[in-house]
Amino acid sequence: MANIKKLPVTYPMITSWTWHSALFSILSNDENAKKWIFSNYIQLRCYNIQEIFTGDDMLLADIMPGSSSLKECPYLITSIMTNQQIRSYTGNIIDFIIKTLDIGGYVYGVFDEARILSEYDVDYKFPHELFIYGYNLDEEVFYVGDFTFKDHYSYSTVSFKDIEKGYDVISAPEDHMFKDDYKGTRGLYVIFKNTDTPYYEVDLRFIRDTLREYLNSVDSKDHFRMMRNRFTDTTFGINVYDRVLDRIREQMAKPEPDFDIRALHLMYDHKVLMFERIKYLMANGYLKYNEDIIRSYGVVVKNMLTARNLLIKISLNDNVAEAVKFKQYFNIAKEKELGVLLEILAELDNKIS
C-alpha cells in the first residue's frame, strides 16, 4: 500500500452544493460524462425548508437532478454503505476509507465539522457533507473537498483523528444525506468513476423537453412521485427568478438583515452550466453556431454574477441601499435568457421530428 494515494479530481464547474461539487470534481473533464451532464442540469426548483443547523426557514434552490445525481449518473457507481457494514468490514472508519480509496473509490458523507474545526470539545454539532479523494499515511491526513474550511469550495486536508471524531458523533437522524434518501440509517457513499464505456449519448429530445419545462415553469417533480412524497410549495423553472428575488427583498427588509447567498449562487451556477452547454452543443454540431446567442447568454451570466457579488458586498458592508440594483440585474438576466432559450428551443423543435 502506497503512503500517499490521491484519486483524480478537477476543480468543479459548479460549486453551489457539495453533491454537485463532488460529482463535477470526479467527472468534469471526461468526454463521455459531458454527454450526460449537458443533457441534464436544466430545470431549476426551489422550496422552503428548515435549516438543519439553525432551525431557521431557508429557501433551498437546486438544479435537477439534485443530490440524487450521485446515484443516478451512469458514469458513477455509487454504493450506500451503512455504518453497520463499515464496522463489520474493517472495524473502524479510518481503515474503511483507506481501503476504499485503495481500490479507487471516492468517499462522500456527513461528518460533524464542528469537531473538525475545533481543537476542543464543543457542545454543538455542524453536520455537513465531506468529499474524500485521497490520503497521506505519513502525515495521517485525508485529502478532502468542502466549503467549510475556506470561504469557497476548496481542496484541503483533514487529520485521521478529526475524521474519526467527526464521523463517530453523528447519529442517524443527523445524517441528512441518508435521511433525505429515506434510508433511515447512518453511513457513507462509496463512489467509483465509471467512464470507460459510453453509456449515454447527448439526448436532444430530453434537452428540448426539459428546456420547455424550464421556460414554462412546469412542475417536473411530478415525474417522480413514485419515489417520494412531494413538498407542497415548490417553484420551478423561470419563476425561480421571482421567488429568489422576493426572498432577497425579505432579507433586506429585516432590521438586522441575515443574508443567505446560497440560492443566488445556485442560480449563477445554473447560468454558468447553461452557457457551457450551449457552447458544447454548438461545438459538437447539435446546434448551429450562433455568435449572437453566445454573446447574449454571456450577458445572462454576467448579470447573475454581478447580482451574486452585490449580495456578498452588502452582507459585508450592510449598505442595504444598494439592493435597488438587484431587480435590474435580475430583469436583464431573465429577459435575455428567455430570448436565447426560446430561440434554441425553436431550433431543437425543427431538428427533432
Side-chain angles (χ1 to χ4, degrees):
M1 183 171 63
N3 284 347
I4 297 176
K5 178 83 173 185
K6 280 188 180 181
L7 300 180
V9 293
T10 302
Y11 192 80
M13 203 184 315
I14 58 173
T15 60
S16 42
W17 293 112
T18 51
W19 42 88
H20 298 317
S21 300
L23 184 147
F24 279 79
S25 287
I26 300 170
L27 295 178
S28 281
N29 271 352
D30 188 87
E31 291 303 315
N32 282 334
K34 284 179 183 178
K35 297 175 183 179
W36 180 84
I37 288 169
F38 289 129
S39 296
N40 286 275
Y41 298 101
I42 294 172
Q43 178 66 299
L44 278 179
R45 74 177 189 270
C46 65
Y47 48 87
N48 289 322
I49 65 167
Q50 189 178 64
E51 226 280 351
I52 59 173
F53 309 125
T54 65
D56 296 336
D57 184 57
M58 70 168 283
L59 182 67
L60 190 149
D62 204 357
I63 316 172
M64 297 176 68
S67 59
S68 62
S69 59
L70 289 172
K71 301 184 296 298
E72 293 164 357
C73 175
Y75 292 106
L76 298 177
I77 299 173
T78 300
S79 300
I80 296 177
M81 305 297 294
T82 67
N83 192 44
Q84 184 178 13
Q85 288 174 294
I86 291 168
R87 302 297 184 190
S88 67
Y89 293 159
T90 60
N92 66 80
I93 186 65
I94 302 303
D95 286 344
F96 177 82
I97 296 174
I98 290 172
K99 288 180 181 296
T100 299
L101 291 163
D102 280 338
I103 59 173
Y106 301 82
V107 175
Y108 179 82
V110 173
F111 295 78
D112 179 19
E113 295 191 355
R115 282 357 184 240
I116 294 173
L117 289 168
S118 176
E119 296 180 4
Y120 308 100
D121 288 335
V122 291
D123 58 0
Y124 61 90
K125 293 180 183 178
F126 181 50
H128 198 266
E129 312 91 61
L130 195 65
F131 172 61
I132 303 175
Y133 65 91
Y135 63 75
N136 185 319
L137 296 180
D138 296 328
E139 297 180 8
E140 295 191 347
V141 297
F142 287 112
Y143 297 103
V144 305
D146 194 55
F147 294 99
T148 304
F149 310 118
K150 297 183 180 178
D151 293 332
H152 59 279
Y153 191 80
S154 60
Y155 299 124
S156 186
T157 59
V158 177
S159 72
F160 289 177
K161 180 181 177 182
D162 285 344
I163 286 290
E164 185 171 33
K165 187 169 56 174
Y167 181 80
D168 286 345
V169 299
I170 296 293
S171 65
E174 293 165 332
D175 189 340
H176 51 273
M177 288 300 298
F178 269 47
K179 180 188 72 175
D180 289 349
D181 285 335
Y182 296 89
K183 306 300 178 186
T185 185
R186 170 86 176 107
L188 295 170
Y189 288 61
V190 171
I191 306 170
F192 293 91
K193 190 174 181 179
N194 183 41
T195 56
D196 291 341
T197 303
Y199 293 102
Y200 193 101
E201 297 298 325
V202 171
D203 191 336
L204 283 186
R205 184 180 297 276
F206 184 60
I207 292 171
R208 181 200 62 180
D209 293 347
T210 314
L211 274 176
R212 183 172 282 116
E213 290 188 348
Y214 173 70
L215 291 168
N216 292 325
S217 297
V218 172
D219 184 345
S220 297
K221 287 297 283 185
D222 256 4
H223 301 319
F224 306 101
R225 294 183 77 96
M226 78 292 290
M227 296 173 64
R228 64 182 62 184
N229 298 132
R230 294 293 314 283
F231 290 96
T232 58
D233 67 338
T234 307
T235 298
F236 290 88
I238 205 78
N239 286 346
V240 170
Y241 274 99
D242 299 327
R243 184 122 177 228
V244 170
L245 184 58
D246 287 344
R247 177 53 60 96
I248 292 169
R249 287 170 173 159
E250 290 173 14
Q251 293 174 343
M252 300 295 183
K254 292 180 180 179
E256 296 182 7
D258 180 20
F259 300 102
D260 184 352
I261 70 165
R262 286 173 289 188
L264 198 50
H265 185 57
L266 183 282
M267 288 192 70
Y268 169 65
D269 269 1
H270 179 259
K271 310 315 166 195
V272 168
L273 197 50
M274 187 71 77
F275 196 30
E276 294 304 314
R277 180 192 343 272
I278 292 168
K279 291 186 289 185
Y280 176 87
L281 294 176
M282 288 182 180
N284 288 277
Y286 298 103
L287 293 173
K288 293 178 294 189
Y289 181 78
N290 188 319
E291 185 67 33
D292 289 339
I293 281 181
I294 292 175
R295 189 181 304 110
S296 293
Y297 207 87
V299 174
V300 178
V301 176
K302 180 181 178 181
N303 276 270
M304 290 309 302
L305 176 62
T306 304
R308 188 203 67 178
N309 290 346
L310 177 59
L311 187 59
I312 294 172
K313 179 181 176 183
I314 293 171
S315 70
L316 294 174
N317 63 22
D318 291 328
N319 185 8
V320 180
E322 293 188 78
V324 294
K325 301 174 185 176
F326 269 106
K327 187 174 182 180
Q328 175 187 353
Y329 297 137
F330 266 59
N331 284 345
I332 292 172
K334 185 178 180 181
E335 179 183 353
K336 286 285 187 183
E337 184 172 52
L338 279 168
V340 168
L341 296 186
L342 283 169
E343 191 171 343
I344 290 174
L345 183 60
E347 182 177 344
L348 291 174
D349 274 334
N350 288 332
K351 184 182 287 282
I352 301 168
S353 58

